[in-house]
Amino acid sequence: MNHSHSDAYAAAGVDITAGYEGVRLMKPFVERTRIPGVVSGIGGFGGLFAPDLSGMTEPVLVSGTDGVGTKLRLAQLLDKHDTIGIDCVAMCVNDIICCGARPLFFLDYIAIGKNEAEKVASIVSGVAEGCVQSGCALIGGETAEHPGVMAPDDYDIAGFAVGVVDKPKIIDGSRVREGDALIGLTSSGVHSNGFSLVRKVFDIEHADLKTPMDELNGKSLGEVLLAPTKLYVKPLLALLEGGIDLHGASHITGGGFFENVPRMLPKGLEAHFHAAMLPRLPIFELIAKRGNVSEHDMYNTFNMGLGMVLAVPAEDADRALELLHAAGEPDAAVVGSVHPGSGGVLFCEVCPPVL
């Protein structure tokens, strides 16, 4: 019998028993993520994982950590908490897949003002869904109750992922070359970046988040803004397993195109995007219009409809698109090319042809 209970701690605002109930409720969600290699269940002092390194000549672990930022405020205002965990996983695994690393496992950390077991379990259900979509295991986590520091309804979530890649197959952008085709993978919306600007533009604390809007094709502002970040792990793995020589990959997160695309470009090269080929989701048109946000600032803040940009040899572009379409990315398309330049990003109405 578990006799763990402290009246004094409860009087100070920390409910230990709510934590136990949260663990009980989240166990079925965690079990969904179990994959070969998981050694331990939740509840231990550490999460154990035995990776299968067969076929690798020099395995390299790749890690990534991130949170969801102020998008959390949307979840709190809408009292909808079952997708925000997807965002947390996506922000981590979408980064490490850019190195060519297959995600192995994930851990989360939730800080909350008042530990409500059902709410915590709902958050973790989203984390589990993100892990399932990216093929990794949720092997541990932590929930910390912060009375007096956070408001009772407030919470924050962060996490980290660990993956593995064979050293000769690391994608670091060093092989990107002049003439490479740039392939864009569409986003599901704003993802998890730029929400401080979003909240300012829409005065989100007082906005109507639930009424359908013509500008958003009949969807509500809350529905569109809370749409979870898209996961790109399985499509990129399909490219790698299909033999595509992926020269570079850029996850379009904070800083938009101008900060993220150059991270995969060697010195002396720049990315030219065909403006007409870039998707413009209605939410970005609405943000720009309502907030009077310049085109430059939009592309320097948001993904603008593309959550991932890939550099592949021009001669492999058609085959890469076939693989991506078959892997659940029907809108993947060539959106630009790599040219000599200063390492920046250009948006062209008529770009020079790929050589």
Side-chain angles (χ1 to χ4, degrees):
M1 180 181 294
N2 189 339
H3 295 286
S4 178
H5 175 73
S6 169
D7 291 333
Y9 213 7
V14 176
D15 186 353
I16 297 174
T17 57
Y20 299 149
E21 176 64 8
V23 171
R24 186 188 71 81
L25 292 174
M26 69 179 67
K27 279 186 176 180
F29 304 124
V30 175
E31 189 61 29
R32 289 184 61 219
T33 75
R34 193 175 187 89
I35 61 174
V38 175
V39 176
S40 61
I42 61 172
F45 287 103
L48 306 180
F49 192 91
D52 179 4
L53 305 179
S54 59
M56 293 190 178
T57 59
E58 197 172 351
V60 175
L61 294 179
V62 181
S63 61
T65 186
D66 210 336
V68 180
T70 61
K71 184 175 184 175
L72 283 168
R73 187 58 185 152
L74 267 294
Q76 293 161 3
L77 289 170
L78 291 166
D79 194 24
K80 180 174 171 53
H81 311 285
D82 60 345
T83 62
I84 208 73
I86 300 175
D87 291 285
C88 189
V89 175
M91 296 303 290
C92 297
V93 299
N94 284 347
D95 278 352
I96 68 172
I97 191 61
C98 287
C99 302
R102 178 189 296 273
L104 298 174
F105 58 84
F106 187 85
L107 288 90
D108 61 37
Y109 174 82
I110 299 169
I112 193 165
K114 179 176 175 56
N115 192 342
E116 299 175 22
E118 292 80 6
K119 180 186 285 188
V120 171
S122 182
I123 296 168
V124 173
S125 75
V127 176
E129 177 61 27
C131 289
V132 169
Q133 290 187 29
S134 54
C136 66
L138 177 57
I139 64 169
E142 173 71 10
T143 301
E145 196 169 13
H146 290 174
V149 175
M150 303 175 76
D153 290 336
D154 196 13
Y155 67 89
D156 195 8
I157 180 172
F160 78 88
V162 173
V164 65
V165 61
D166 202 5
K167 189 172 183 179
K169 297 181 180 179
I170 290 175
I171 301 167
D172 59 7
S174 62
R175 298 199 312 280
V176 174
R177 63 176 184 264
E178 179 182 354
D180 276 356
L182 297 175
I183 292 177
L185 305 186
T186 57
S187 72
S188 57
V190 184
H191 283 182
S192 299
N193 303 106
F195 270 85
S196 293
L197 177 55
V198 167
R199 290 185 300 112
K200 178 177 183 293
V201 166
F202 293 112
D203 187 16
I204 212 71
E205 297 294 324
H206 306 100
D208 180 355
L209 298 174
K210 296 183 178 180
T211 301
M213 300 178 64
D214 291 339
E215 299 100 315
L216 299 177
N217 297 326
K219 296 182 178 181
S220 70
L221 182 62
E223 179 184 3
V224 171
L225 290 177
L226 200 57
T229 304
K230 194 172 178 180
L231 287 139
Y232 298 102
V233 171
K234 291 183 178 179
L236 264 67
L237 288 177
L239 283 186
L240 297 173
E241 292 165 0
I244 298 297
D245 184 13
L246 184 55
H247 286 174
S250 176
H251 182 202
I252 310 301
T253 56
F257 284 75
F258 292 113
E259 287 191 21
N260 290 294
V261 174
R263 294 165 69 180
M264 73 171 182
L265 297 175
K267 187 176 181 180
L269 295 177
E270 62 187 21
H272 291 192
F273 289 94
H274 298 274
M277 294 295 294
L278 300 179
R280 289 292 293 259
L281 302 182
I283 185 59
F284 297 116
E285 301 288 354
L286 189 61
I287 292 169
K289 181 179 178 181
R290 290 278 186 93
N292 193 27
V293 182
S294 70
E295 189 86 350
H296 177 276
D297 286 356
M298 290 296 293
Y299 278 97
N300 207 163
T301 307
F302 302 109
N303 65 64
M304 299 302 287
L306 291 182
M308 185 74 71
V309 173
L310 311 175
V312 302
E315 61 271 19
D316 291 346
D318 288 343
R319 174 60 179 158
L321 290 177
E322 289 178 7
L323 291 168
L324 289 168
H325 295 165
E329 289 290 335
D331 298 320
V334 174
V335 294
S337 52
V338 177
H339 296 264
S342 60
V345 174
L346 295 178
F347 297 95
C348 320
E349 292 300 329
V350 180
C351 289
V354 176
L355 300 178

